[in-house]
Amino acid sequence: MTIELERGDALGEGYRRRITEVLVQGFAEDFEYFSKDPRALADAFEHMIILERFYVALVDGEPAAIASVTEGSQECFEPNRREMQRGLGGLHGLISYFIVRSQFLGAYDGACPGLAEIGFVTTAPQRQGKGVATALMGHLLQLPYDEFVLRDIKDRNAPALGLYRKLGFSESSTRPVRFAARAGFSAYVSMTLKTTAR
């Protein structure tokens, strides 16, 4: 298996839909409020991905894992209300638009030049456990930043937490979740890695 690593804008618009499909498959549980239908989710979210902020691991030319990288006030999504309503329906699309704006946008509190936030790391289900996310993360950690941060990893996501620890990240904070029993996990974990400490 050969893994190629590219930035979304280098792949071009022809890959937008396939990158979105990896995103909605990987976060299907988190996106259930918006829709349980992967096609409807892809229809609603496809427009908002800022391709230059996403890195993609390709296997056989197909997106197999993705992650966003932002610095300072950069965003990885640019939601459009009409597009979301087109994909999810009038009222539900409007509510979803406001949720996306409040939950998915906004820089890391400690954002500064030289610090990159890595987000929305996910692997297509059929490619999980095959080293694709490891290759993607290894590539991202070679980018010219002084520090990397990962925010809001579910404390029950042992595979992700294990991978990040293996790559040198350490836990920097935890944030309890309201209604943990209903959510199915108890806290969000954030992790950091200073490249100068390597």
Side-chain angles (χ1 to χ4, degrees):
M1 179 176 76
T2 303
I3 301 170
E4 299 171 75
L5 300 153
E6 295 284 354
R7 210 168 73 175
D9 57 338
L11 292 170
E13 285 294 328
Y15 276 81
R16 178 180 288 278
R17 179 70 178 203
R18 287 174 278 175
I19 292 169
T20 306
E21 288 168 350
V22 174
L23 176 74
V24 300
Q25 288 171 7
F27 288 96
E29 183 180 300
D30 300 290
F31 294 163
E32 273 186 355
Y33 168 78
F34 304 112
S35 178
K36 292 183 181 180
D37 177 356
R39 181 173 290 156
L41 281 171
D43 288 345
F45 287 4
E46 180 179 359
H47 78 277
M48 74 179 187
I49 289 177
I50 300 175
L51 289 175
E52 69 190 64
R53 305 278 192 258
F54 278 85
Y55 286 79
V56 183
L58 301 153
V59 175
D60 300 328
E62 287 298 316
I66 62 167
S68 65
V69 177
T70 55
E71 180 182 16
S73 62
Q74 292 176 340
E75 300 287 0
C76 60
F77 296 124
E78 192 172 26
N80 176 286
R81 178 180 55 81
R82 287 190 179 130
E83 290 293 328
M84 294 201 75
Q85 289 179 299
R86 187 174 293 125
L88 299 172
L91 181 59
H92 188 60
L94 179 64
I95 294 167
S96 299
Y97 166 76
F98 286 112
I99 291 171
V100 166
R101 288 192 59 83
S102 69
Q103 298 298 311
F104 296 178
L105 303 185
Y108 173 61
D109 283 343
C112 62
L115 183 149
E117 180 179 351
I118 300 173
F120 296 97
V121 182
T122 192
T123 305
Q126 68 273 21
R127 298 293 184 186
Q128 290 175 358
K130 297 180 179 173
V132 181
T134 302
L136 177 59
M137 287 296 296
H139 177 75
L140 298 183
L141 296 181
Q142 299 306 311
L143 296 173
Y145 294 103
D146 302 322
E147 187 174 1
F148 294 91
V149 65
L150 293 152
R151 279 195 294 170
D152 293 345
I153 308 150
K154 292 177 182 176
D155 63 352
R156 70 173 168 92
N157 191 346
L161 292 168
L163 169 61
Y164 303 145
R165 286 186 186 108
K166 181 178 166 187
L167 292 169
F169 282 86
S170 57
E171 189 175 305
S172 55
S173 66
T174 59
R175 180 168 59 89
V177 174
R178 291 174 59 194
F179 311 111
R182 196 166 88 189
F185 63 104
S186 58
Y188 285 113
V189 177
S190 291
M191 305 181 85
T192 58
L193 171 65
K194 293 189 182 205
T195 57
T196 52
R198 282 196 244 175

